[in-house]
């Protein structure tokens, strides 16, 4: 079979080249608000609208998992007022959106150290997850008080506890054993990483899982990120050859087979 020319195929008809899992650092809310002489929280609120749009686009394109970085382990360093407003916004958005997400068959999962959150927020999170757990559509993962290093540390600690309890021999610790205790276990690995807002860094997002992920950076600020901007990222993704350590020739032979 001749290699399919991806440029000729409309993206909706080319599911094979669509990522199964998209992970996004939603950055640029503050600068979006600043450009409009408005408080940063206005940018965060506008950002929630973009989340809605993106959930709809991913569901329509039958992307399996969308992981969004909402609050990093390091974001506690922001002024207390902004942290509090962000937490409030998180609670309001959860309460407001969970019904709609459920109606749209979305499974919601929150990853990160939730023990640092106020009790009410922890309760909202548990409710939202329970309400949507039986759904079979898009998996929406929200990373909140999440850090890639935290994730690896908590997984390592669990392994150490298993060893201490005599349930696991250190020789059994391999990549799969550690992966089993990471927050995204059971989901396909992220294929496409998107960071909006112009910075080209990972900022302690999914460190383990990004090992072979395709990276895409855009200047577009998160509240301005829309369906066309997302399609541009998907188009960039489908033009790439993912080699996973092999040669380009090997990959081409496999595609032609
Ligand atoms: C991302 O936008 C949202 C969070 C980190 C919560 P920022 O708030 O970082 O926006 P900029 O980078 O200051 O523009
Ligand atoms: C990363 O954005 C975290 C989230 C989007 C939640 P930041 O704006 O906090 O990242 P840095 O500090 O500029 O690297
Ligand atoms: Mg930022």
């Amino acid at each position: 079979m001749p290699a399919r020319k991806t440029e000729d195929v409309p993206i909706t008809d080319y599911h094979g080249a669509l990522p199964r899992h998209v992970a996004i650092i939603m950055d640029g809310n503050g600068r979006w608000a600043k450009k409009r002489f408005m408080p940063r929280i206005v940018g965060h609120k506008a950002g929630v609208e973009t989340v809605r749009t993106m959930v709809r686009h991913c569901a329509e394109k039958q992307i399996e998992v969308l992981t969004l970085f909402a609050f990093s382990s390091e974001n506690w360093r922001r002024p207390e007022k902004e942290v509090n407003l962000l937490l409030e916004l998180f609670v309001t958005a959860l309460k407001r959106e969970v019904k709609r997400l459920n109606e749209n068959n979305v499974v919601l999962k929150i990853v990160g150290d939730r023990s640092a959150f106020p009790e009410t927020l922890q309760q909202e999170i548990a409710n939202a997850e329970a309400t949507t757990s039986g759904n079979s559509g898009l998996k929406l993962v929200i990373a909140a008080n999440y850090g890639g290093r935290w994730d690896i540390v908590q997984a390592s600690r669990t392994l150490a506890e298993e060893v201490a309890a005599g349930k696991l021999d250190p020789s059994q610790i391999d990549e799969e054993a550690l992966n089993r205790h990471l927050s995204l276990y059971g989901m396909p690995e992220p294929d496409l990483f998107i960071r909006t807002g112009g910075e080209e860094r990972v900022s302690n997002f999914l460190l383990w899982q990004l090992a072979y992920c395709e990276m895409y950076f855009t200047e577009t600020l998160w509240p301005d990120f829309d369906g066309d901007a997302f399609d541009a990222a998907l188009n960039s993704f489908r033009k790439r050859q993912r080699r996973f350590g092999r040669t380009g020739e090997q990959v081409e032979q496999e595609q032609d087979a």
Side-chain angles (χ1 to χ4, degrees), residues 34-50:
K34 199 172 174 194
K35 269 188 6 195
R36 288 163 177 77
F37 307 102
M38 294 202 278
R40 295 175 58 85
I41 189 69
V42 177
H44 296 313
K45 285 186 179 158
V48 175
E49 293 308 311
T50 307

Side-chain angles (χ1 to χ4, degrees), residues 4-10 14 17 238-239:
R4 209 167 166 184
K5 278 219 220 91
T6 52
E7 313 81 67
D8 299 334
V9 187
Y14 199 73
R238 66 180 191 162
K239 286 187 191 124

Side-chain angles (χ1 to χ4, degrees), residues 11 14 24 60 80 116 125 130 132-133 138 150 157 172-173 179 193 199 217 234-235 245-246 248 255:
I11 193 130
Y14 199 73
I24 307 183
E60 277 168 10
E80 198 183 329
I125 290 175
T132 61
S133 64
L138 174 74
W150 165 84
R157 188 182 304 125
Q172 291 171 297
I173 298 179
N179 189 27
F193 162 102
E199 312 299 344
F217 298 95
L234 294 173
N235 278 325
R246 292 167 297 171
Q255 278 167 349

Side-chain angles (χ1 to χ4, degrees), residues 13-244:
D13 293 337
Y14 199 73
H15 191 251
L18 273 180
R20 293 179 67 190
H21 183 167
V22 180
I24 307 183
I25 298 189
M26 314 184 282
D27 198 17
N29 294 347
R31 278 163 285 162
W32 184 91
K34 199 172 174 194
K35 269 188 6 195
R36 288 163 177 77
F37 307 102
M38 294 202 278
R40 295 175 58 85
I41 189 69
V42 177
H44 296 313
K45 285 186 179 158
V48 175
E49 293 308 311
T50 307
V51 170
R52 251 204 213 150
T53 314
M54 287 308 299
V55 168
R56 202 182 62 235
H57 281 285
C58 287
E60 277 168 10
K61 291 178 198 301
Q62 294 179 336
I63 286 168
E64 290 170 51
V65 189
L66 172 64
T67 298
L68 301 174
F69 204 7
F71 192 88
S72 76
S73 325
E74 290 71 34
N75 286 145
W76 297 104
R77 295 175 184 157
R78 293 190 177 199
E80 198 183 329
K81 189 167 159 240
E82 179 167 349
V83 170
N84 288 337
L85 286 170
L86 277 169
L87 293 180
E88 258 174 52
L89 185 60
F90 192 26
V91 177
T92 336
L94 265 183
K95 275 195 190 151
R96 201 184 58 198
E97 301 297 328
V98 81
K99 190 161 168 262
R100 195 198 317 257
L101 290 172
N102 195 34
E103 283 162 6
N104 287 303
N105 201 19
V106 173
V107 183
L108 185 65
K109 187 177 160 71
I110 314 293
V111 296
D113 182 4
R114 57 179 85 173
S115 68
F117 290 142
E119 195 58 46
T120 45
L121 178 50
Q122 292 191 39
Q123 198 53 52
E124 270 327 308
I125 290 175
N127 289 347
E129 287 183 332
T131 307
T132 61
S133 64
N135 292 335
S136 55
L138 174 74
K139 287 192 180 63
L140 174 62
V141 182
I142 307 284
N145 194 20
Y146 178 89
R149 288 181 177 174
W150 165 84
D151 205 5
I152 294 169
V153 167
Q154 65 80 23
S156 311
R157 188 182 304 125
T158 310
L159 287 178
E161 283 164 359
E162 288 178 2
V163 170
K167 290 188 209 148
L168 185 76
D169 190 83
S171 67
Q172 291 171 297
I173 298 179
D174 54 11
E175 291 185 11
E176 170 54 24
L178 191 104
N179 189 27
R180 245 194 329 267
H181 297 293
L182 291 173
S183 301
L184 294 186
Y185 182 65
M187 305 193 190
E189 289 216 344
D191 306 291
L192 173 62
F193 162 102
I194 300 174
R195 182 171 187 146
T196 61
E199 312 299 344
E200 302 192 348
R201 53 179 174 252
V202 175
S203 300
N204 198 15
F205 195 26
L206 307 163
L207 299 180
W208 174 279
Q209 296 85 350
L210 293 183
Y212 260 105
C213 191
E214 296 295 327
M215 313 294 275
Y216 180 87
F217 298 95
T218 170
E219 291 289 329
T220 306
L221 304 172
W222 178 247
D224 292 328
F225 195 77
D226 58 10
D228 287 344
F230 187 42
D231 281 343
L234 294 173
N235 278 325
S236 166
F237 174 81
R238 66 180 191 162
K239 286 187 191 124
R240 302 180 190 195
Q241 185 187 54
R242 303 186 76 190
R243 293 196 276 273
F244 298 99

